[in-house]
Amino acid sequence: MAVPPHPNQKTPTATYRVQVRPGFDLDATAGIADYLADLGVSHLYSAPLLTATPGSAHGYDVVDHRAVNPELGGEAGRQRLLRALRDKRLGLVVDIVPNHAGVAVPPANPAWWDVLRRGRSSAYADWFDIDWDRGRLLLPVLADTPDALDDLKVVDGELRYHEHRFPIADGTGDGSAREVHDRQHYELVSWRRGDAELTYRRFFAVSDLAGLRVEDPAVFAATHELILRWAAAGEVDGIRVDHPDGLRDPGGYLTRLREAAPQAWLVVEKILEYGEELPDWPVDGTTGYDALAAVTGLFVDPDAEGDFTVLDTRLVGRPTSWENLTHDTKLAAATRLLAAELTRLAALAPEVPTERARAALAELAAAFAVYRGYPPHGARHLAAARSEAGRRRPDLTTALDAVTRRLRDPDDELAQRFPQFTGAVMAKGVEDTAFYRWSRFVALNEVGGSPAHFGVPPAEFHRFATARQVRWPASMTTVSTHDTKRGEDVRARLAVLSELPQRWGEQVTAWMAYAPLPDPAFAHLLWQTAVGAWPIERERLHAYVEKAAREASTSTSWADPDPAFEQAMHAVVDAMYDDPSLNDELTEFAAAITPAGRSNSLGQKLVQLTMPGVPDTYQGTELWDNSLVDPDNRRPVDFSVRREMLARLDGGWRPPVDDSGAAKLLVVSRTLRLRRTHPELFSGYRPVPAHGPEGRYAMAFDRGGAITVATRLPLGLARAGGWCDTVLSLPVNEVKDLFTGRVYSGGETSLADLLADYPVALLAPPTASVEAAR
C-alpha cells in the first residue's frame, strides 16, 4: 500500500508542467504565476532547476548539485519565482535526477573534473559508477579515424581536443600532447567505442550522462542537500524522481528520500507495463504513464484490432509478432547499444565462460517482461524470463541456470546490477526502437503503453480507476509529457482511425503507392503521424521523420545514416506539401477526422483531469496541441494567447469546438478550478451507468459529487444516429454542468440533452459549479 501522507503534507489538487530552460527561465516562469492560478492549478511542476550542462534545453544533465542553474536565473531567480508563486498561493513541485549527472562538458562538472584529474584517489571517485578494475576511464569523444589524437593539444595546463577540455594530473604535463594523454587517468577514444567499451555506467546508452552511486549515503547527502534544504524550508511541496529504475536500490533510495522529506508529495517516473503494479514504495505514486495508457485506450475501438493487423500484414508483406519484434530489439540493445554494461555484468560471473555469460544475460534481459523486478515479485519475473530464454536458446541451458542462480541472491552484486540493465534494455529496445518499427496503430506506441493491447473498454477502465482510488489516490495522472512520443491531441485524432479501418486502409495504401518508400512499415508510421498532426510545419515533420527513422534503425540509424533512404523519406514529406493532389487529399482526410478527434481530445482530457489521482497539464496542452516527440514537444508556448482566451471565457463566452482550442481551455480551467475549490467532490470513484441503445459510447463516473461524462467512439455514435433514447442515471437531486451552465434534475437524464453543445460534461452541485466558473 502507498505510505499514508504526512499530517502536514499538502498534496496538490493539480499541477502544471513547465519546461523551465534558458529560453524560458525562472523569471519567465514567475511571469505566468497569475495565469496558472487563474487556470486552476495548485502547483507549478518544474523541470530540473540545478546547474546543468551549459546550454542544456532540458536540465536532466545536472553538473553541480550545489546551486540553481545560473542560466535559469540562479538563486535570485528562484527566490523571485517563489515570491510570485506565494503571491498567488501556488506551491512548487521540482524534478530531481538521482540516477546520473552530465559529463559532456567536463569543466562544468567539478566532481567529474576532479575524477578525471585524480582518478581513484579523487574524493569524488565513489560518486560515479566506474569499473576502475578495467583500467583507465574511457571517454568516447574522438572522431572515428586512426589519426584523431593528432588533433590533441596542451593549452593552459589542459588537454584540448577541438572544443573539448580535459584536466592534466599533477606532474604529468611534460612532453607532447600524445605523451601527456597517455599518462592520464582517462583515455580519449572513438565515439564508436562508447557503446562497447565504456568503463562507467551510463543513462541508457548516453555516454554524456554518467551514473551516480546514490546508494552511498555520502553521495546521496551531497547530491540532495540543496533540494532537501528547500523541502525542509517549505519552499518545495513535491518532488518528482526521474528514472528510479536506473538506481542500484530504488526501494532503499526512496525510503531514504521519504525520511529526509517526510512532508513532500513524492512521485516517481516508474514505467509500469500493462497489468504491472507499483511496488510498495514509500511514495505517493507514479508520474502517470499508467493513467495515460488507460485513458488513451478508452477512446480506441477494440473491435478494429483485426482489421489493423490485416492491414499491417498486407503493407509490410508479412505478419509481425510484437513478442518476437520486442525480443529482437531488446536483444540488439543488450548486445550492441549496452554492450559495455553487458561486459561488466558478464565479468561478475567468472564461473561461466565469458561469451556464454554474455549471451545468457542478454537473453534473460530480452525476455524480461517488465523494466525490472522488485522483491517479492522480481522472482516471478525472473522465473518467467528464464523459461522464455531457455525456450529460445536451449543451447544456453547450463549458462542460463548458472547466472539465474546468482540472480536469485539479493546480496549478489550480479543480482543487484542486473535490474539496472534490464530497465535500460527495455527502454532502448522497446520505447526507442520497437515503437518506431511496429506501425500497426501508432496511437498505442506510447511510453507506458502496450501496442499489443488494442483499446481499453469502459469496464476495464473502471476497474483500473477503482484500484487507483484505493491504492494510489495521490498518484499523478497525465496524457502528455516531455517524453511522450506524440502529443495527446495527435493520439486523440489517430484514435479516430480505429473507427474507420477500411477507409484508412484504402487511403494509406493509395498514398504509399503514389509516394513510395522502400520501408513500408516506416511509411505507415509516417502517414499516420502526418494525418494525426496535420497541418504541421514542414520543418517540424522533416525533423520528426529523421529522428523516428534513425530510432527505428531499420533503413537508417544514428550511427550509420543512409543518405539514399533519408533522401527518399524527406522527398515523401516534401510531396505532402508540394504535390497539389497529395496535399489536397491529406488536408481533406485530416479535416474529415478532426471533429471526431476533437471530441476524443475533450473526452480524454476530462477523464484524465477528473479520474483518481493528481492531474498534470503539460505546458500548452490546455489548447489544441499537435506536438510530436522531443524536442518538438518542448517548443515555446504562447501564454499571451491563453491569457486572453481565458479572460474571454471568464467573461461568459461559451466557445464552439473549433480551431481555436477555446473549448479545451474551458474544460481544463473549469475542471481544475472545481478540483481546487471543492476537493471533497473528488474523494471516491463509482461508475455511472448509461442505459439505452447507445450506452457503449458513454463514459461516466462519479468521484464523490463531481460527475464526469464523456463521449467515446464518436463516429460510431454518429453512424448509430446519435444518442437517441440513451439516458444517464444521475445519483443526485440537482446538478449543474460547468461547461454550459445548465441545471439538470437527478434520475434519468437524456444524453442527447446533456451533450448537445459539447461531447463532455462535468456535473457538480450548483453552488460548487458557480464557484468553479469564477
Side-chain angles (χ1 to χ4, degrees):
M1 295 291 290
V3 169
H6 188 279
N8 297 322
Q9 178 179 330
K10 183 182 179 183
T11 300
T13 61
T15 61
Y16 189 97
R17 170 70 174 196
V18 174
Q19 289 296 116
V20 183
R21 61 191 186 279
F24 194 88
D25 61 12
L26 292 164
D27 285 315
T29 305
I32 63 169
D34 59 334
Y35 168 73
L36 299 184
D38 290 343
L39 188 63
V41 302
S42 64
H43 286 69
L44 164 70
Y45 163 32
S46 167
L49 299 182
L50 301 184
T51 304
T53 299
S56 174
H58 49 77
Y60 290 94
D61 45 358
V62 175
V63 296
D64 191 341
H65 295 81
R66 301 169 299 180
V68 178
N69 192 345
E71 294 186 338
L72 302 181
E75 176 60 18
R78 188 183 74 90
Q79 290 294 336
R80 290 190 291 271
L81 172 63
L82 287 176
R83 287 194 292 271
L85 294 176
R86 286 169 176 164
D87 184 59
K88 297 301 178 180
R89 304 185 68 181
L90 296 174
L92 177 63
V93 175
V94 296
D95 203 339
I96 65 170
V97 192
N99 177 69
H100 50 268
V103 296
V105 183
N109 188 323
W112 185 252
W113 184 265
D114 197 74
V115 169
L116 297 184
R117 181 183 177 194
R118 294 184 169 86
R120 298 186 78 160
S121 64
S122 169
Y124 304 99
D126 290 337
W127 275 39
F128 302 96
D129 196 354
I130 299 169
D131 187 359
W132 291 104
D133 293 336
R134 288 174 58 195
R136 291 202 287 169
L137 186 57
L138 301 185
L139 303 180
V141 299
L142 300 180
D144 190 37
T145 58
D147 59 351
L149 280 175
D150 290 347
D151 292 332
L152 198 62
K153 296 179 175 62
V154 175
V155 180
D156 296 333
E158 298 174 349
L159 275 173
R160 303 281 179 89
Y161 177 74
H162 298 295
E163 74 277 15
H164 301 285
R165 297 166 50 199
F166 305 95
I168 295 175
D170 294 345
T172 65
D174 294 334
S176 68
R178 289 287 294 268
E179 291 170 337
V180 172
H181 167 264
D182 291 343
R183 300 187 192 109
Q184 301 311 307
H185 298 286
Y186 56 86
E187 179 184 356
L188 306 185
V189 299
S190 163
W191 64 271
R192 286 188 180 274
R193 291 177 61 183
D195 292 337
E197 301 180 37
L198 283 198
T199 52
Y200 60 92
R201 182 174 62 84
R202 304 167 289 172
F203 169 69
F204 298 158
V206 183
S207 300
D208 289 343
L209 298 174
L212 289 168
R213 296 183 61 255
V214 292
E215 64 271 16
D216 183 327
V219 179
F220 176 93
T223 55
H224 289 68
E225 189 274 334
L226 188 57
I227 293 291
L228 294 177
R229 191 197 316 158
W230 296 346
E235 297 173 344
V236 163
D237 302 300
I239 298 174
R240 182 259 196 195
V241 179
D242 183 68
H243 188 47
D245 278 343
L247 304 179
R248 177 96 164 222
D249 177 16
Y253 165 81
L254 293 168
T255 297
R256 181 178 288 122
L257 183 60
R258 171 58 79 194
E259 291 171 349
Q263 299 181 34
W265 179 62
L266 188 58
V267 291
V268 290
E269 190 206 19
K270 169 60 187 167
I271 312 301
L272 298 169
E273 289 298 285
Y274 179 74
E276 183 185 5
E277 293 286 340
L278 182 66
D280 290 331
W281 289 335
V283 300
D284 293 289
T286 73
T287 53
Y289 286 112
D290 46 342
L292 183 154
V295 173
T296 294
L298 185 60
F299 296 87
V300 172
D301 189 351
D303 294 342
E305 180 173 16
D307 290 317
F308 275 88
T309 299
V310 170
L311 174 62
D312 178 71
T313 300
R314 178 168 58 79
L315 293 177
V316 177
R318 53 177 171 74
T320 302
S321 161
W322 175 248
E323 181 182 10
N324 289 336
L325 171 62
T326 54
H327 170 270
D328 293 346
T329 54
K330 289 167 69 177
L331 188 63
T335 56
R336 298 174 192 170
L337 290 175
L338 300 165
E341 287 76 8
L342 181 61
T343 295
R344 188 171 186 180
L345 287 176
L348 295 173
E351 70 277 16
V352 182
T354 300
E355 287 308 311
R356 306 290 284 179
R358 288 175 59 88
L361 289 164
E363 278 292 342
L364 285 170
F368 226 77
V370 295
Y371 277 71
R372 62 179 286 172
Y374 297 95
H377 304 297
R380 172 169 56 88
H381 294 307
L382 177 59
R386 168 62 186 86
S387 176
E388 176 64 10
R391 183 186 71 82
R392 291 182 179 272
R393 291 292 304 272
D395 58 307
L396 290 175
T397 296
T398 301
L400 285 167
D401 286 343
V403 297
T404 301
R405 279 194 298 272
R406 296 277 306 279
L407 295 176
R408 292 193 182 107
D409 180 359
D411 296 324
D412 192 311
E413 184 179 3
L414 180 62
Q416 294 169 352
R417 288 190 175 277
F418 184 69
Q420 294 175 291
F421 183 64
T422 62
V425 167
M426 178 72 83
K428 295 306 298 179
V430 179
E431 280 182 42
D432 292 344
T433 305
F435 277 1
Y436 292 98
R437 288 191 186 180
W438 202 39
S439 53
R440 181 180 71 163
F441 186 65
V442 300
L444 302 176
N445 296 17
E446 194 51 82
V447 183
S450 172
H453 187 72
F454 206 101
V456 176
E460 181 180 336
F461 182 89
H462 288 315
R463 290 192 295 272
F464 171 80
T466 299
R468 278 177 65 90
Q469 178 62 29
V470 172
R471 288 208 64 193
W472 303 102
S475 185
M476 182 181 279
T477 70
T478 188
V479 280
S480 289
T481 78
H482 60 280
D483 283 328
T484 41
K485 303 301 182 184
R486 290 164 193 83
E488 59 196 61
D489 296 328
V490 176
R491 293 196 310 276
R493 191 192 293 179
L494 287 174
V496 179
L497 300 183
S498 72
E499 296 198 72
L500 36 81
Q502 297 298 329
R503 182 182 174 190
W504 171 247
E506 294 169 0
Q507 184 65 80
V508 76
T509 299
W511 283 338
M512 288 171 61
Y514 186 81
L517 196 61
D519 184 339
F522 185 78
H524 193 200
L525 177 145
L526 168 56
W527 285 106
Q528 287 178 80
T529 302
V531 163
W534 201 263
I536 180 174
E537 296 86 346
R538 184 194 303 243
E539 63 275 12
R540 288 176 55 208
L541 190 55
H542 274 300
Y544 170 80
V545 298
E546 183 170 292
K547 175 171 181 173
R550 291 181 179 183
E551 294 280 28
S553 297
T554 48
S555 299
T556 187
S557 68
W558 292 110
D560 296 294
D562 185 315
F565 175 80
E566 293 193 3
Q567 182 178 6
M569 174 182 70
H570 288 298
V572 172
V573 172
D574 281 330
M576 294 178 183
Y577 297 88
D578 299 333
D579 185 299
S581 62
L582 193 59
N583 181 269
D584 288 347
E585 286 185 10
L586 179 57
T587 301
E588 180 181 351
F589 188 93
I593 65 173
T594 291
R598 288 178 179 151
S599 174
N600 287 341
S601 292
L602 296 180
Q604 73 175 4
K605 196 66 179 177
L606 179 61
V607 169
Q608 179 250 327
L609 293 178
T610 57
M611 68 186 290
V614 176
D616 177 58
T617 299
Y618 184 72
Q619 62 175 34
T621 60
E622 61 270 35
L623 300 186
W624 305 133
D625 178 70
N626 69 344
S627 292
L628 300 174
V629 74
D630 167 65
D632 192 65
N633 56 25
R634 301 181 197 265
R635 301 188 324 281
V637 175
D638 190 338
F639 286 103
S640 63
V641 168
R642 288 159 175 79
R643 285 180 198 274
E644 294 170 5
M645 200 173 287
L646 186 58
R648 290 187 64 193
L649 293 175
D650 289 342
W653 179 41
R654 291 297 172 262
V657 184
D658 62 3
D659 290 339
S660 71
K664 191 178 182 187
L665 183 61
L666 175 70
V667 169
V668 172
S669 61
R670 274 41 183 175
T671 304
L672 294 182
R673 290 174 182 180
L674 184 66
R675 292 204 67 146
R676 186 175 63 189
T677 56
H678 288 279
E680 73 280 0
L681 299 179
F682 297 87
S683 57
Y685 187 88
R686 187 183 69 83
V688 176
H691 303 289
E694 315 310 334
R696 70 183 293 247
Y697 300 110
M699 178 63 188
F701 50 84
D702 181 355
R703 289 298 319 282
I707 300 172
T708 289
V709 186
T711 304
R712 59 185 297 271
L713 309 184
L715 290 187
L717 176 64
R719 286 193 289 262
W723 292 111
C724 300
D725 297 325
T726 307
V727 297
L728 204 65
S729 298
L730 297 180
V732 292
N733 293 326
E734 189 176 71
V735 291
K736 186 174 184 179
D737 179 14
L738 269 71
F739 309 143
T740 64
R742 295 197 185 100
V743 177
Y744 300 87
S745 59
E748 302 283 303
T749 301
S750 166
L751 280 169
D753 291 339
L754 184 61
L755 303 179
D757 293 339
Y758 298 113
V760 294
L762 180 58
L763 309 176
T767 303
S769 302
V770 171
E771 293 177 17
R774 291 174 183 153

